[in-house]
Amino acid sequence: MNTYQTTLRFCIDDDAPIATLEAVLAIVRRLDLRLISLRSHGHSQGQDVQLRLAAQQEEALVLCRMRLNNVVGVLAVRVMPVASARTVLAASCTYALIPQYNGAHQQKQDSV
């Protein structure tokens, strides 16, 4: 059974952030979506929210985004890009590139 996932990002106006977030979560619940993660942090204009959702049908995720655009207090709903499914061949920064610890140099500095 395939499940579709999306990550939505939007701002909540600073007037009534708790009530607005409750309205957002009510939409998610009514559409029978699975809430994978919810992250928020405050800034000067309000709250920045990131929702990661999953559904059995892709249309439910599209409908959720459309309904979120109609909620009073929710500003600019955006769909975040999906991470690449390709495998990483090598890490960009590895411990092999870090020079070895020079114990003799450390001993000399400690003795001075």
Side-chain angles (χ1 to χ4, degrees), residues 67-92:
R67 287 186 180 177
L68 289 179
N69 280 319
N70 292 328
V71 174
V72 174
V74 172
L75 310 171
V77 177
R78 298 176 303 277
V79 176
M80 300 300 291
V82 178
S84 176
R86 66 182 173 88
T87 58
V88 178
L89 298 177
S92 59

Side-chain angles (χ1 to χ4, degrees), residues 14 21 25 32 37 66 71 88 91 102 104 112:
D14 208 19
L21 192 57
L25 293 175
D32 198 27
S37 69
M66 290 170 49
V71 174
V88 178
N102 188 347
V112 173

